[in-house]
Amino acid sequence: MSWNVLQEEQPLVMNLLTKSVEKNRLAHAYIFEGMRGTGKKEAAELLAKSLFCREKQGVKPCDSCAECRRIDHGNHPDVMMLEADGASIKKAQVESLQKEFTYKGMEASTKVYIVDDADKMTASAANSLLKFLEEPESPTLALLLTENVHFLLDTIISRSQKITFAPPPLQKRIRMYTEQGAGEAVSALLARLPDQLAETFAEEKKEWIVQGRTLVIQLTEEAQNRPQQMLLTLQEKWLDHFTDREELDIGLDLLLFWYRDILTVKMEKEDLAYPDQKEKLEQASLHLTEKEVADRLQWILEAKRRLRANVNAQLMMEHLLLRLQEGS
Ligand SMILES: [Zn+2]
């Protein structure tokens, strides 16, 4: 991701970093947090380049001088990248990085270290890093990248400036999940779920989402044409599939996406959460007015709120399905 693309996709982040470099007011440590594909690593590398580039224009690095290229190739003496070795970042890795910087500490230039997936540091690695943040031996800039900022030590968070990267636009997210092998139908749903959840599902529970969407398609069809079947499906399948509150909440999201799609079809727009179900959606859109779809969206949102208030899940779902079916 180039400087210009980042500037376009993450204008707040890039403006903030640009201003800090211009005014020479960079913090000693930053946490770049945001989901996969938001350009955290690219931003970190560009920031490092901006500090060392010999041909930069303003703060924008040239990407082609010797300094820039060394950073690209991971062999710049003052820029170190730390990545997970297997599942975690270990204490020995942090220590060897610190040792290397100490050797080079004689030179006055700033030392930059980028820790990718910083939440994967073991507790002892994190503590070792913390000492470094507290008492650097020479001017340092720490860039800690993470998709899960909540897994970082509070003490690290409090010593760093946190910068949040905005989630990528919908189409880009769909593409991201497709590239991870999720299949188009599932990717269209994953891209609409909250980031953290979607990441987990993309990795571990793709099949579960596939089954969940099949249930949504079945239930909404029954609500429209075979209401006597609907409550049976709820008991025998839905409640078996969406078992705890978190899962039920996702079930409601999937249901919400379905009715939103009906509205999308009505307005003759593309961009469906159920792109392969266009025919069924079109049929459903003939049965419901815009107002009736909007009501249903409200009821589903209401059910999501009630779910949080600890209601009985089965009663909540029965009530909702009857409303979806009867329209009142
Ligand atoms: Zn350069």
Side-chain angles (χ1 to χ4, degrees):
M1 222 184 273
S2 69
W3 183 282
N4 291 344
V5 173
L6 262 173
Q7 182 73 53
E8 213 178 287
E9 289 190 8
Q10 303 289 346
L12 295 179
V13 170
M14 292 308 278
N15 288 344
L16 187 121
L17 292 177
T18 302
K19 282 211 181 90
S20 308
V21 175
E22 275 171 357
K23 294 183 180 162
N24 209 3
R25 281 209 198 128
L26 280 175
H28 296 297
Y30 287 94
I31 294 170
F32 287 179
E33 67 137 346
M35 67 182 288
R36 195 180 310 178
T38 47
K40 301 183 294 293
K41 199 167 180 179
E42 289 88 345
E45 285 172 353
L46 285 167
L47 181 58
K49 284 180 187 169
S50 175
L51 298 181
F52 295 103
C53 178
R54 291 177 192 158
E55 310 275 345
K56 62 182 174 183
Q57 296 182 318
V59 289
K60 186 177 160 183
C62 74
D63 260 336
S64 56
C65 71
E67 301 281 329
C68 283
R69 271 183 288 132
R70 279 160 101 186
I71 292 173
D72 272 336
H73 296 139
N75 56 14
H76 193 288
D78 297 319
V79 180
M80 299 274 285
M81 171 76 88
L82 204 55
E83 283 169 320
D85 174 15
S88 61
I89 298 174
K90 300 178 180 69
K91 187 182 180 190
Q93 288 176 270
V94 176
E95 282 176 344
S96 82
L97 171 138
Q98 290 166 348
K99 210 177 276 170
E100 194 141 343
F101 274 170
T102 312
Y103 285 140
K104 293 169 184 155
M106 303 301 156
E107 305 154 38
S109 58
T110 301
K111 307 281 182 280
V112 179
Y113 52 109
I114 302 170
V115 185
D116 197 13
D117 289 323
D119 50 278
K120 290 189 177 157
M121 281 187 287
T122 61
S124 54
N127 276 310
S128 181
L129 182 89
L130 185 61
K131 263 182 242 150
F132 204 48
L133 289 183
E134 285 167 336
E135 355 169 318
E137 310 217 353
S138 54
T140 54
L141 172 63
L143 304 170
L144 314 177
L145 322 183
T146 179
E147 292 169 23
N148 310 290
V149 72
H150 311 289
F151 294 157
L152 290 179
L153 290 183
D154 285 342
T155 39
I156 287 189
I157 295 175
S158 68
R159 277 170 184 76
S160 313
Q161 187 175 333
K162 193 172 80 179
I163 296 188
T164 302
F165 283 60
L170 184 66
Q171 284 312 322
K172 190 174 174 193
R173 297 174 66 176
I174 294 177
R175 212 168 48 237
M176 231 165 62
Y177 291 118
T178 323
E179 279 162 14
Q180 282 177 49
E184 271 173 46
V186 174
S187 298
L189 290 175
L190 287 175
R192 288 167 166 86
L193 287 172
D195 310 339
Q196 222 53 61
L197 273 176
E199 290 283 323
T200 321
F201 283 121
E203 276 165 27
E204 295 159 23
K205 290 175 83 175
K206 266 181 269 192
E207 199 43 44
W208 186 84
I209 290 278
V210 174
Q211 286 160 9
R213 80 189 284 284
T214 308
L215 282 177
V216 168
I217 297 166
Q218 183 182 345
L219 259 189
T220 49
E221 195 267 325
E222 287 171 358
Q224 190 181 303
N225 303 321
R226 292 175 291 149
Q228 69 285 3
Q229 184 63 34
M230 185 180 71
L231 293 181
L232 213 62
T233 303
L234 169 68
Q235 279 188 13
E236 289 181 352
K237 294 187 177 166
W238 188 276
L239 295 171
D240 268 355
H241 187 69
F242 301 101
T243 51
D244 58 21
R245 258 162 229 288
E246 196 184 41
E247 291 186 353
L248 280 161
D249 195 44
I250 295 170
L252 289 174
D253 278 335
L254 298 185
L255 207 52
L256 190 75
F257 300 156
W258 179 266
Y259 284 97
R260 249 193 231 155
D261 270 6
I262 297 180
L263 217 49
T264 309
V265 166
K266 270 189 173 304
M267 294 187 288
E268 291 177 16
K269 289 189 187 158
E270 299 293 326
D271 226 3
L272 298 171
Y274 294 84
D276 57 342
Q277 300 295 315
K278 205 164 173 198
E279 218 169 289
K280 280 201 176 123
L281 289 163
E282 273 166 355
Q283 267 181 10
S285 82
L286 297 177
H287 283 86
L288 298 168
T289 66
E290 222 167 277
K291 162 88 170 60
E292 283 169 334
V293 183
D295 283 345
R296 282 164 175 77
L297 291 173
Q298 277 309 317
W299 298 333
I300 297 170
L301 289 172
E302 211 176 291
K304 277 169 71 74
R305 276 195 295 277
R306 293 181 60 206
L307 188 64
R308 251 170 261 147
N310 256 2
V311 290
N312 175 296
Q314 183 171 347
L315 289 180
M316 178 276 289
M317 279 306 296
E318 279 176 6
H319 179 69
L320 174 63
L321 288 182
L322 289 172
R323 286 183 103 177
L324 293 178
Q325 184 239 322
E326 287 165 4
S328 61

